[in-house]
Amino acid sequence: MTETQSSSASLRRLVPRIFSKAQPVGAVERLIRTARMHHPKSDLSIIERAYTVAEKAHRGQKRQSGEPYITHPVAVAQILADLGIGPKTLAAALLHDTVEDTGYPLDELRAEFGDEVAMLVDGVTKLDKVKYGESAQAETVRKMIVAMSKDIRVLVIKLADRLHNARTWGFVPPEKAARKATETLEIYTPLAHRLGIQTIKWELEDLSFAVLYPKLYAEIESLVKQRTPQREELVHQVIDSVNEDLKAAKIRGKVVGRPKQYYSIYQKMIVRGRDFDEIYDLIGIRILVNSVRDCYAVLGAIHARWTPIPGRFKDYIATPKFNLYQSLHTTVIGPGGKSVEIQIRTHEMHQHAEYGVAAHWKYKENVNGKNAGAKANENDMVWLAHISDWQAETADPGEFLDSLRFEIGAKEVYVFTPKGRVIGLPAGATPVDFAYAVHTEVGHRTMGAKVNGRLVPLETELNSGEVVEVFTSKNPDSGPSQDWLSFVKSTRARNKIRQWFTKERRDEAIEQGKDAIARAMRKQNLPLQKLMSQDSFAEVAAQMRYEDVSALYAAVGEGHVSTQSVLEKVAALLQGDSEAEAEAIDFPVRGRTRKLPHSDSGVLVRGAPDILVKMSKCCTPVPGDDIVGFVTRGSGVSVHRSDCHNVQELLKEPERMIDVEWAPTSKSVFLVNIQVEALDRAGLLSDVTRVLSEHHVNILSATVSTSTNRLAISRFVFEMGDTTHLDRVLNAVRRIDAVYDVYRVNGG
C-alpha cells in the first residue's frame, strides 16, 4: 500500500463524512419534490429540461470518487432546493458546469433557458475559470464580489458547489483538500456568514475542520457522542419547562434544542482556552414564536423562572447584526445550576437566520412574491454595495483580499444618527468613519463631532448605542486630513481619504511637470509651440508606457522621469517625421559637450574624457555621492564612493588615483543597493516591491532573511536613470507598515 493510500484509509476511518457519495436513484425526483414543496404554484418543467441537457452534456464524465459527473450538479441543486430557492436558480445550478466542462455553448443555453439562467451560469463559469494561487485567489474573490453585486444567486450557487465538493474531499489528494479547506475557512465561510446562510456556513466549517485536523475532529466527535445521552436528558427537561411557560402565557411557539457544532467547540477550546466539558455542558435552546411582541413576552417568562446571568442579554431584534440577523439572546442559570443559552425569535427571523439572503429568492422567483421580498433584498445588499464600491477603488488585489478578510471578519458597533438611523461600523471606529459611512462628501468636509451631545475629538472610539453628529465645513474646497489615516478603521473611509490625496497630489504633479518641461525647453532655446504639440507628447507617453499625456506630466512632476529624456524622445519623434525640422532642434546634453564618453557611465575623467569608466559594484555610487577614480589594469577607470571600505586599500597606490566628476546623461543608468529593516509580517516583500515598482524602479535582485526575533532584513539592487528622486523612493519604502529603517549600503 502506498503512503497516499494509507493516508486516505486513515482519513476515511477518522472522518467518513468527507467520503460521501450521491444516492444513485431518485435524486432528480427528490429535487423536484423539494422544489414543489417550497414553490407549489411555480412551473417546474425548467428543472426537468435543465437536468436532461446537463445529463446529456456530462454523459461519460466521471468525478474523482468514480461517480457519474451528473451527480454533482444534481447535489448542488438539491442543497439550493433545501434553502427554498426557486426553479430558475435550480436550473442554473444543474447547468453550472456545462459551459466550462462540455461543448455546450452559452448562446445555445441562453436560447433554450432565457437570459436570467444564462447570466447565472456565466457568472459561476467566470469564477471557476481563474486558477487559485496567492494573487489569483484575490482576483477570483474580487470577481466573485462583482458577480455578487449584480446577482447574489451567483455566490449562493458557488457556495452550494463548494459545499458538495467539500463533502467529497476525501477522494482528492490530501494536499489539495487541505488547500481548499483553508481557502474555504478564510473566504467562503465568512461570506456565507455575512450573507446569513448559516446552514451552509456551519457545514463548510465542520468539513474544513475535518480535513485540516482529522484527529482533533474525530476526538471531539467521540467526546460529543459519549456525553450526548446525559445532555439530551437535561435539554428535554429545559424544553418541557419552557413549554409550560408558553402554555401559561397563551403563546403559540416551538421549542427546540440547538446542536453543538464541532468547529465551534474547537474554536472555543483553542481561542478561549476552555475545557471541553465546560463548553459542552452549556445547554442551548431556541424558541420560535409568531410575533415580536411574543418574543419579549417569552423573555419575561424565562427570566421569571430562571435567574439571568448579568451581561449576557443581547437584543438583536431592536439592533440587528450586520447581516440583518435578529433574535433575543439570554443566558440563565437553569436546572441543576447549569447555564442555559436561549435564543428567542419569530419564525420569519429564524428563516432569515438559517438561510439569510437566500431566503428572499424564495419570494423573488415565486408568483406569490410581493414587494416585501424585494425590499428585504434591498436592505441585505447595503453591505454588498459597500464591498462592491471599494473593490473598484482598490487597485492591488492583495490589498483588496486583506481588506475583505478584515471586513468580513470584523466585529461591529452600532451607532445612531441624530434622526435615529442605525449605522454599522467596525469595532474601534471613530466619528470620521461614521461621516464616511453617511456620505463621502460628509466625510471629506468633516471638521468636528458630537457624541451623545458632547464635543469629542475626531479620533474618539465609538461604542454601540451612542448618538453621533458630525459638523461639516461650508468651504467647497475643504478636504480630509492626512492624519485621519492613522486612526480610521473602516475600509471605505481609508480608501476615500487615500483617493482624495492621490487625486490632489496628481493634479499638482501634472502642473509641476508641465512647468518643468516648458522651463527646460526655454532654457535650451527649443521651439516651444512645436514641441508642446499634444500629438508628439501623446506618442512619447505611449512609448514610455504611460496611460496618457497627463500621466507623463505627473511622472516628470514627481521626479520619476527627467525632463531631458522626455524632450530627447520628442525630438527623435519629430526627426523621424521631418529631417529638416529636426535639424533646427539642437539638444545640448546637460550643458556639456555633445561628445560622450565611450560608456554612458555618467562620469567624466578629468583630462581624459574618452577613457572607459565603470562603476564599482562594491559601493554602487550614484550622482551626488563624493567619488574617486582608480586606474585599473586593462578595464579603464573604476569609480568608488569616497567612503567605500575598499578605498583605503586603493590609496596605498596613489599614482593610480585619478580625479573624476559626475556628468550624467539621459542614457546613464546607475545601480543602487538598499537595505530595508522591518518587523516580519505576511505580505511585507510584496509591499516593498510594489512601492519600488510604483516609483518606476527596475529591481535586479532581492534577498530576504528573517531572524529568530521576527526581524526581516531585505536587500534590493535596482537600476535608476535619474537618481535625484532616490530620497523620495527611500521615504516611500519607509512609510510601509512595519518598516522601521531604509538606507543605502555597500554592495559587498
Side-chain angles (χ1 to χ4, degrees):
M1 184 183 285
T2 66
E3 190 177 332
T4 304
Q5 288 172 327
S6 172
S7 169
S8 179
S10 172
L11 205 60
R12 187 185 286 272
R13 180 176 51 80
L14 291 170
V15 280
R17 67 185 292 188
I18 60 171
F19 289 86
S20 67
K21 287 194 176 186
Q23 292 184 353
V25 291
V28 181
E29 290 77 7
R30 181 181 166 226
L31 172 64
I32 293 171
R33 204 164 50 245
T34 309
R36 184 169 287 117
M37 183 177 71
H38 290 288
H39 303 272
K41 295 182 181 178
S42 295
D43 177 13
L44 303 183
S45 64
I46 191 172
I47 299 174
E48 294 172 341
R49 287 191 290 119
Y51 172 76
T52 303
V53 170
E55 195 280 329
K56 183 180 177 184
H58 289 297
R59 197 171 292 162
Q61 293 181 342
K62 298 277 188 185
R63 284 175 61 76
Q64 284 183 299
S65 60
E67 301 166 284
Y69 194 89
I70 189 63
T71 58
H72 171 63
V74 170
V76 171
Q78 183 62 52
I79 290 167
L80 297 175
D82 290 335
L83 294 178
I85 288 179
K88 288 183 180 176
T89 311
L90 297 182
L94 286 166
L95 297 163
H96 79 273
D97 278 335
T98 54
V99 173
E100 185 183 13
D101 295 343
T102 74
Y104 188 55
L106 186 64
D107 290 340
E108 194 175 322
L109 187 149
R110 183 177 286 107
E112 196 163 346
F113 295 96
D115 289 339
E116 192 174 346
V117 174
M119 179 270 296
L120 293 173
V121 172
D122 189 40
V124 178
T125 302
K126 281 176 179 168
L127 294 184
D128 289 339
K129 273 184 182 171
V130 181
K131 299 301 176 192
Y132 285 89
E134 200 47 48
S135 64
Q137 182 195 30
E139 275 307 311
T140 303
V141 176
R142 183 190 284 260
K143 287 187 177 184
M144 190 187 300
I145 296 297
V146 175
M148 281 163 62
S149 62
K150 291 175 183 171
D151 197 308
I152 194 68
R153 290 172 294 175
V154 171
L155 176 69
V156 179
I157 295 170
K158 187 64 186 168
L159 286 172
D161 176 58
R162 175 52 60 102
L163 177 55
H164 181 249
N165 282 331
R167 289 173 181 171
T168 60
W169 275 338
F171 298 105
V172 301
E175 303 80 21
K176 184 179 179 182
R179 192 169 67 248
K180 291 285 185 186
T182 303
E183 176 188 288
T184 299
L185 287 177
E186 283 191 349
I187 302 298
Y188 288 92
T189 58
L191 279 173
H193 180 53
R194 266 285 174 176
L195 299 173
I197 312 173
Q198 299 302 331
T199 50
I200 287 183
K201 170 189 175 271
W202 290 330
E203 191 175 350
L204 280 175
E205 284 180 336
D206 277 355
L207 291 168
S208 300
F209 175 42
V211 166
L212 293 171
Y213 307 103
K215 290 181 180 177
L216 264 176
Y217 175 90
E219 178 65 19
I220 290 175
E221 186 179 38
S222 170
L223 288 170
V224 167
K225 283 177 181 173
Q226 288 170 23
R227 287 161 175 73
T228 294
Q230 309 94 291
R231 187 174 179 277
E232 287 299 312
E233 191 179 324
L234 201 54
V235 168
H236 285 306
Q237 191 180 336
V238 172
I239 289 174
D240 291 342
S241 299
V242 173
N243 277 325
E244 284 175 22
D245 290 340
L246 291 177
K247 194 173 180 181
K250 296 181 180 176
I251 295 171
R252 295 181 68 179
K254 182 181 177 184
V255 188
V256 292
R258 278 172 33 232
K260 286 288 181 183
Q261 185 203 357
Y262 297 158
Y263 183 69
S264 170
I265 293 170
Y266 165 73
Q267 285 289 88
K268 286 173 181 172
M269 288 172 71
I270 298 300
V271 177
R272 299 184 194 173
R274 290 161 65 179
D275 291 335
F276 174 82
D277 287 330
E278 189 184 351
I279 297 163
Y280 198 67
D281 281 352
L282 196 64
I283 298 163
I285 66 165
R286 183 176 294 128
I287 305 167
L288 306 178
V289 293
N290 293 328
S291 69
V292 173
R293 185 185 293 273
D294 288 347
C295 289
Y296 289 100
V298 170
L299 178 71
I302 296 290
H303 283 183
R305 176 181 282 273
W306 293 304
T307 306
I309 297 175
R312 297 296 298 274
F313 171 64
K314 298 278 192 307
D315 187 346
Y316 293 120
I317 291 178
T319 54
K321 284 188 179 183
F322 51 75
N323 53 15
L324 299 192
Y325 169 89
Q326 289 183 290
S327 191
L328 295 175
H329 289 194
T330 187
T331 305
V332 298
I333 305 296
K338 298 284 186 184
S339 296
V340 181
E341 283 182 342
I342 298 172
Q343 295 175 353
I344 309 166
R345 59 177 77 139
T346 66
H347 291 282
E348 188 183 343
M349 290 173 191
H350 180 62
Q351 189 79 0
H352 196 119
E354 295 293 297
Y355 307 132
V357 295
H360 297 308
W361 294 101
K362 187 172 179 176
Y363 308 105
K364 183 84 172 174
E365 294 181 355
N366 199 339
V367 289
N368 297 331
K370 302 182 177 102
N371 51 14
K375 185 179 177 186
N377 190 54
E378 242 173 61
N379 291 335
D380 283 338
M381 293 305 103
V382 171
W383 172 77
L384 199 52
H386 283 317
I387 297 281
S388 188
D389 280 349
W390 56 257
Q391 76 81 23
E393 294 161 6
T394 310
D396 178 47
E399 183 186 338
F400 166 73
L401 190 56
D402 288 342
S403 300
L404 178 66
R405 283 177 179 143
F406 171 77
E407 190 78 13
I408 59 184
K411 292 185 177 177
E412 294 209 344
V413 294
Y414 300 92
V415 296
F416 296 93
T417 66
K419 291 184 179 178
R421 179 183 157 206
V422 179
I423 302 281
L425 298 167
T430 65
V432 175
D433 294 286
F434 171 86
Y436 278 102
V438 172
H439 195 277
T440 302
E441 283 306 312
V442 173
H444 285 343
R445 297 188 184 188
T446 295
M447 54 186 288
K450 273 185 180 179
V451 174
N452 294 338
R454 294 174 54 195
L455 283 168
V456 296
L458 289 177
E459 62 268 27
T460 303
E461 284 194 12
L462 301 175
N463 299 305
S464 287
E466 291 177 333
V467 179
V468 185
E469 182 182 359
V470 293
F471 306 109
T472 55
S473 169
K474 289 185 171 60
N475 180 1
D477 296 325
S478 61
S481 164
Q482 192 90 34
D483 297 338
W484 293 357
L485 288 170
S486 65
F487 59 75
V488 292
K489 295 290 185 218
S490 66
T491 307
R492 177 181 173 81
R494 190 174 299 281
N495 279 344
K496 294 294 182 187
I497 294 166
R498 280 179 180 162
Q499 229 177 12
W500 192 90
F501 280 106
T502 300
K503 184 177 183 303
E504 189 183 62
R505 278 202 303 269
R506 179 180 165 83
D507 291 344
E508 285 178 8
I510 288 171
E511 289 307 312
Q512 288 171 0
K514 279 183 182 176
D515 292 345
I517 288 173
R519 278 198 309 274
M521 287 194 291
R522 280 194 292 269
K523 189 176 179 183
Q524 297 179 16
N525 296 318
L526 302 176
L528 197 65
Q529 293 300 321
K530 184 73 180 174
L531 286 180
M532 286 299 278
S533 150
Q534 279 291 339
D535 291 342
S536 302
F537 274 86
E539 206 164 324
V540 169
Q543 278 180 18
M544 299 178 78
R545 296 185 182 178
Y546 289 104
E547 288 178 23
D548 51 27
V549 179
S550 296
L552 178 62
Y553 289 148
V556 173
E558 290 170 350
H560 296 159
V561 178
S562 69
T563 53
Q564 189 68 23
S565 63
V566 172
L567 293 185
E568 286 182 5
K569 282 184 172 60
V570 172
L573 193 66
L574 291 178
Q575 189 170 7
D577 293 341
S578 169
E579 288 290 332
E581 288 177 359
E583 282 173 10
I585 303 172
D586 184 32
F587 276 88
V589 181
R590 305 275 169 128
R592 293 191 175 275
T593 173
R594 287 178 60 84
K595 189 176 183 183
L596 296 176
H598 291 149
S599 66
D600 289 313
S601 61
V603 172
L604 281 179
V605 179
R606 285 180 191 166
D610 291 339
I611 196 168
L612 179 65
V613 175
K614 66 173 186 177
M615 297 293 169
S616 65
K617 290 185 179 178
C618 56
C619 57
T620 57
V622 299
D625 292 341
D626 286 335
I627 51 176
V628 296
F630 181 77
V631 180
T632 64
R633 292 185 173 89
S635 298
V637 172
S638 170
V639 178
H640 294 257
R641 278 161 47 185
S642 56
D643 60 353
C644 175
H645 57 81
N646 286 326
V647 167
Q648 292 303 318
E649 196 64 32
L650 301 179
L651 288 173
K652 292 177 181 177
E653 299 181 70
E655 70 283 358
R656 294 173 65 183
M657 303 301 293
I658 192 167
D659 288 339
V660 288
E661 61 177 303
W662 289 112
T665 70
S666 61
K667 295 179 183 176
S668 301
V669 175
F670 303 96
L671 281 183
V672 180
N673 201 322
I674 66 167
Q675 181 157 307
V676 181
E677 297 178 0
L679 298 171
D680 191 28
R681 65 169 175 82
L684 176 66
L685 183 60
S686 65
D687 285 349
V688 176
T689 52
R690 175 175 53 80
V691 168
L692 292 175
S693 298
E694 284 172 357
H695 284 76
H696 302 276
V697 162
N698 181 28
I699 301 171
L700 297 179
S701 69
T703 57
V704 183
S705 61
T706 308
S707 65
T708 51
N709 53 356
R710 306 291 293 169
L711 294 181
I713 309 296
S714 313
R715 280 202 174 192
F716 294 88
V717 179
F718 53 83
E719 290 179 334
M720 290 182 76
D722 183 0
T723 58
T724 56
H725 75 293
L726 179 58
D727 285 342
R728 188 183 287 115
V729 173
L730 297 182
N731 286 333
V733 174
R734 205 170 277 121
R735 283 195 295 271
I736 295 171
D737 186 32
V739 172
Y740 60 84
D741 203 3
V742 186
Y743 50 89
R744 282 180 61 207
V745 291
N746 289 337

